């Protein structure tokens, strides 16, 4: 990190967007959902929306292969709207935050049913769609339709918090970030501006050891040279997550495993899973053959694997061949248990 000895100017940023876009034209990341700057191609709103939904709380590296599989299998919003729920949930398995997959289907079907297969081209219209919040609406409006929307993701928060030295803790600082960004958004390239800020936060203004000497807008960054630059944006104090416990049953017969589908509403809704009871605050009385720990957003879970000889009476499920278990679309929590059992059998 380079150190700036003189005090950065306190005035409004001079041609912030121009400097940023010049850098973006030279340094834009090549991403499967992105139209490169200067290519003359028009972004596909469906693909922009798909990427933005997948990228919520997930890294670019984790999303890329899922995005390519989804758009290859369901190349248009009409294709996705007509897809079987179970197929989409299985294809999403491993990406986490499974409510996004359910929202993906609900939104695609609303676009086809209510909008003739075309996405609304305004923030307000996009926000009316199922599962589309303020951030996604702004991102799609700016990137896909060229609307001068103020887009603020985690990378952009970091850039603006440092450049303008905003020390208000999150989430209260979000309003200040938008207020600082709004007058900087260029009317002619709002989508490129948003993506340039994302790239800047991802590759230059990083959480640790930011490369200030390579920053195209670093000359008037108010946090540049400060020993505490890495603490920006200021995050709220972490709260301890509650611990929950549960049981999963391993029921195997003739090289097949008994799988159930979780209720549509709730954690991992609609996903195939190993059968088991409710997750509770106390550890189970039964001892098991394996245990896994898994972190959710609001709690940590310890799941104990217990072998059973047969499904519970009247339980609905399916016998799935062990040889093709990877194709069942099990969420990460249950794949961890499957991996444990595979280790035991080796």
């Amino acid at each position: 990190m380079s150190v700036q000895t003189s005090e950065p100017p306190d005035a409004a940023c001079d041609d912030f967007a121009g400097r940023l876009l010049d850098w973006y034209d030279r340094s834009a990341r090549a991403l499967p959902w992105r139209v490169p700057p200067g290519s003359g191609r028009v972004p596909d709103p469906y693909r922009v929306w798909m990427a933005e939904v997948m990228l919520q709380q997930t890294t670019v590296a984790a999303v890329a292969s899922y995005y390519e599989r989804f758009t290859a299998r369901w190349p248009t919003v009409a294709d996705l709207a007509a897809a079987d729920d179970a197929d989409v949930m299985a294809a999403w398995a491993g990406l986490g935050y499974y409510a996004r997959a359910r929202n993906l289907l609900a939104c695609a079907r609303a676009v086809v049913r209510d909008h003739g297969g075309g996405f609304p081209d305004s923030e307000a219209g996009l926000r009316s769609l199922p599962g589309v919040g303020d951030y996604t609406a702004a991102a799609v409006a700016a990137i896909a339709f060229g609307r001068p929307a103020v887009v603020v993701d985690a990378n952009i928060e970091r850039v603006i918090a440092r450049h303008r030295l905003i020390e208000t803790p999150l989430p209260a600082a979000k309003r200040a970030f938008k207020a600082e960004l709004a007058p900087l958004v260029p009317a002619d390239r709002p989508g490129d501006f948003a993506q340039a800020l994302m790239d800047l936060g991802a590759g230059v203004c990083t959480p640790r050891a930011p490369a200030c000497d390579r920053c195209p807008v670093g000359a008037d960054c108010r946090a540049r040279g400060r020993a505490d630059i890495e603490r920006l944006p200021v995050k709220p104090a972490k709260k301890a997550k509650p611990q929950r416990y549960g049981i999963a049953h391993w029921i195997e017969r003739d090289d097949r495993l008994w799988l159930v589908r979780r209720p549509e509403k709730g954690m991992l809704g609609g996903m195939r899973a190993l059968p088991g009871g409710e997750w509770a605050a106390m550890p189970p009385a039964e001892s098991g053959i394996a245990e896994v720990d898994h972190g959710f957003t609001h709690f940590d879970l310890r799941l104990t694997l217990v072998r059973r000889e047969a499904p519970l009476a009247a339980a609905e499920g399916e016998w799935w061949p062990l040889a093709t278990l990877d194709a069942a679309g099990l969420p990460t929590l249950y794949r961890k248990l499957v991996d444990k059992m595979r280790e035991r059998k080796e």
Side-chain angles (χ1 to χ4, degrees), residues 16-279:
F16 181 99
R19 287 178 287 155
L20 181 67
L21 288 169
D22 285 346
W23 171 82
Y24 180 68
D25 288 341
R26 301 188 305 271
S27 307
R29 288 180 292 176
L31 300 173
W33 49 82
R34 179 177 287 178
V35 171
S39 67
R41 290 161 41 201
V42 177
D44 179 352
Y46 169 65
R47 291 173 180 251
V48 173
W49 161 78
M50 173 79 73
E52 292 300 336
V53 172
M54 288 185 166
L55 286 164
Q56 293 168 15
Q57 299 179 292
T58 311
T59 65
V60 166
V63 163
S65 61
Y66 281 86
Y67 170 85
E68 290 177 329
R69 287 200 297 272
F70 262 71
T71 52
R73 186 170 182 180
W74 299 293
T76 70
V77 69
D79 294 323
L80 182 60
D84 182 77
D85 290 44
D87 290 342
V88 172
M89 298 304 292
W92 190 277
L95 196 55
Y97 301 99
Y98 294 96
R100 293 179 299 168
R102 295 193 293 273
N103 287 336
L104 203 74
L105 274 168
C107 184
R109 288 165 181 166
V111 168
V112 171
R113 181 185 65 244
D114 303 332
H115 300 277
F119 280 81
D121 64 0
S122 67
E123 281 188 83
L126 290 160
R127 277 196 300 268
S128 72
L129 297 171
V132 175
D134 290 346
Y135 166 75
T136 303
V140 176
I143 298 169
F145 297 109
R147 303 298 187 194
V150 180
V151 182
V152 184
D153 71 352
N155 281 322
I156 297 174
E157 287 178 350
R158 187 164 56 255
V159 171
I160 297 304
R162 292 172 178 177
H163 194 273
R164 307 306 298 148
L165 194 56
I166 297 172
E167 298 187 273
T168 304
L170 289 166
K174 291 180 180 291
R175 181 174 297 180
F177 297 152
K178 287 192 173 184
E180 291 288 345
L181 272 173
L184 303 177
V185 178
D188 58 337
R189 297 180 65 185
D192 283 349
F193 179 76
Q195 292 174 111
L197 283 170
M198 295 173 189
D199 282 10
L200 189 66
V204 176
C205 194
T206 49
R208 299 287 177 265
C212 297
D213 55 331
R214 295 195 288 110
C215 180
V217 293
D220 51 359
C221 175
R222 295 178 181 175
R224 185 174 182 178
R226 290 176 60 112
D228 63 348
I229 190 172
E230 292 182 356
R231 75 180 179 89
L232 297 170
V234 179
K235 296 178 175 61
K238 284 189 176 181
K239 295 181 180 179
K241 291 196 291 186
Q243 179 72 50
R244 293 186 185 175
Y245 302 87
I247 284 178
H249 294 139
W250 186 273
I251 307 169
E252 182 180 337
R253 179 187 298 170
D254 299 328
D255 294 324
R256 293 173 180 266
L257 185 66
W258 182 252
L259 299 181
V260 298
R261 196 173 295 280
R262 290 186 60 82
E264 290 297 327
K265 293 184 178 180
M267 301 298 296
L268 310 179
M271 304 291 294
R272 290 191 183 97
L274 299 177
E278 297 293 327
W279 301 336

Side-chain angles (χ1 to χ4, degrees), residues 2 15 45 93 100 131 152 157 194 253 274 282-283 291 305 314 330:
S2 66
D15 195 24
R100 293 179 299 168
V152 184
E157 287 178 350
R253 179 187 298 170
L274 299 177
M282 297 297 293
E291 282 185 343
L305 187 63
L330 294 175

